[in-house]
Amino acid sequence: MNILAMICLVLAALPLAMLLINLLFYRRPGQPAGDPMEKVSVLIPARNEEDNIVQAVSAALASQGADIEVVVLDDGSTDDTAALVRKISDRDRRVRLIQGQPLPAGWMGKNFACAQLAEAATGQWLLFQDADVRLDPDAVARLAGQARSRNIDLLSGVPQQITRTLGERLIIPLINLVLLGYLPMIGVRLTRHPMFAAGVGQFTLARREAYMAVGGHGAIRDQIQDGVALPRAFRGHGYFSDLADLTGLVFCRMYANFSQVWQGFAKNAHEGMGSPGAIGVWTTLL
């Protein structure tokens, strides 16, 4: 029992030590310096998102200190998603609605939607966000300002997760535990090696020139976990990806109950952890 207790202590101490070190690197962006930067295209793929899309678009339009456009792709919605976006676009010329094309063979749906959004965008920066994400008015200016000032080609992070049910509160914080407890941020910050690639598909900001050079979402067309796969593709081509603390800047209510949490995490687990065989190992460690 003493040996088992020592093993458990070590397994708990290692991520704690990593967390304390990582907090030196995982910081919120400061206020941008200098003149307003290049145009940012906020890109939102949406399918049956009538409960979310108005709030998502409105939050993006409230951005301060940044030149933005908002492009929404309606991916075959059967509800009022498209109609709601059209109403907003009639009032604000910064908003455009495009219709998604039929899914080609070999593509995952979200990756194809994002590829179409990137083609339609006119900004020098591409901000991909889910429809359940809400941007603080300062978010775009601060995060794009950090990316420009530090020559970051792709910037991502974990949005501040809004959790209300017990299942959400038990499971969703594991995203932060895995990120801060097991990924050496010093490797993310000081190298461009693909093994340190990390990101979250809910929020990804990419420099358009670099995005096109790596093939965009076409380079990861058949992968489920775009949040990890896209930074890996960037680093594989020699570009720099980084992570930022999005607390207070980007918000998300990912799931509404335990059943949705379980289904969502199960879908993404094998790619997020690298291989199906790693799931058992990580589950034991956690």
Side-chain angles (χ1 to χ4, degrees):
M1 290 299 295
N2 289 338
I3 294 176
L4 181 60
M6 290 300 297
I7 292 173
C8 291
L9 179 61
V10 170
L11 292 177
L14 288 176
L16 173 61
M18 182 74 75
L19 170 83
L20 295 175
I21 295 171
N22 281 341
L23 289 178
L24 299 173
F25 299 93
Y26 192 67
R27 309 298 291 272
R28 291 179 64 192
Q31 293 293 337
D35 298 329
M37 57 170 296
E38 303 95 339
K39 187 175 185 178
V40 178
S41 297
V42 180
L43 308 176
I44 308 175
R47 175 184 290 175
N48 295 334
E49 293 285 358
E50 64 180 6
D51 294 334
N52 278 312
I53 197 64
V54 172
Q55 296 92 325
V57 173
S58 298
L61 291 175
S63 298
Q64 300 174 357
D67 178 17
I68 72 160
E69 68 170 353
V70 180
V71 187
V72 179
L73 180 137
D74 176 38
D75 192 12
S77 297
T78 56
D79 63 5
D80 288 334
T81 297
L84 292 170
V85 176
R86 288 192 189 97
K87 287 182 179 179
I88 301 174
S89 66
D90 288 341
R91 301 191 306 265
D92 196 318
R93 299 179 64 182
R94 294 176 296 170
V95 179
R96 285 187 287 136
L97 174 71
I98 63 173
Q99 294 296 325
Q101 300 301 310
L103 183 67
W107 282 81
M108 297 302 297
K110 182 181 177 183
N111 291 333
F112 185 53
C114 289
Q116 294 174 81
L117 284 164
E119 288 294 331
T122 62
Q124 289 78 31
W125 291 88
L126 309 176
L127 195 167
F128 299 96
Q129 70 156 77
D130 289 350
D132 53 8
V133 166
R134 308 289 180 262
L135 301 176
D136 180 82
D138 289 337
V140 174
R142 289 174 64 169
L143 290 160
Q146 174 167 304
R148 181 179 66 169
S149 64
R150 294 184 44 221
N151 294 317
I152 299 170
D153 299 298
L154 183 148
L155 183 63
S156 187
V158 182
Q160 182 172 334
Q161 301 295 324
I162 300 170
T163 58
R164 298 195 177 103
T165 66
L166 179 61
E168 294 173 88
R169 291 171 177 169
L170 285 173
I171 303 299
I172 290 179
L174 291 176
I175 299 174
N176 295 290
L177 174 60
V178 171
L179 179 68
L180 295 174
Y182 294 95
L183 176 69
M185 291 288 175
I186 191 170
V188 176
R189 192 61 50 82
L190 298 182
T191 80
R192 302 189 181 195
H193 198 286
M195 71 179 293
F196 294 108
V200 179
Q202 296 169 341
F203 180 96
T204 300
L205 176 69
R207 192 187 303 269
R208 183 189 186 92
E209 181 180 358
Y211 176 86
M212 294 301 180
V214 306
H217 280 81
I220 60 167
R221 65 187 64 191
D222 60 347
Q223 300 192 45
I224 298 173
Q225 184 49 273
D226 59 304
V228 175
L230 193 59
R232 190 176 292 154
F234 269 63
R235 285 176 170 256
H237 284 77
Y239 291 101
F240 181 43
S241 70
D242 202 358
L243 295 163
D245 181 4
L246 305 184
T247 304
L249 294 174
V250 183
F251 305 85
C252 179
R253 177 94 189 272
M254 195 187 320
Y255 303 114
N257 54 56
F258 181 76
S259 176
Q260 293 179 9
V261 172
W262 183 266
Q263 293 175 17
F265 274 59
K267 179 184 72 174
N268 293 318
H270 77 279
E271 287 199 23
M273 295 181 183
S275 69
I279 295 177
V281 175
W282 281 104
T283 301
T284 302
L285 288 173
L286 292 173

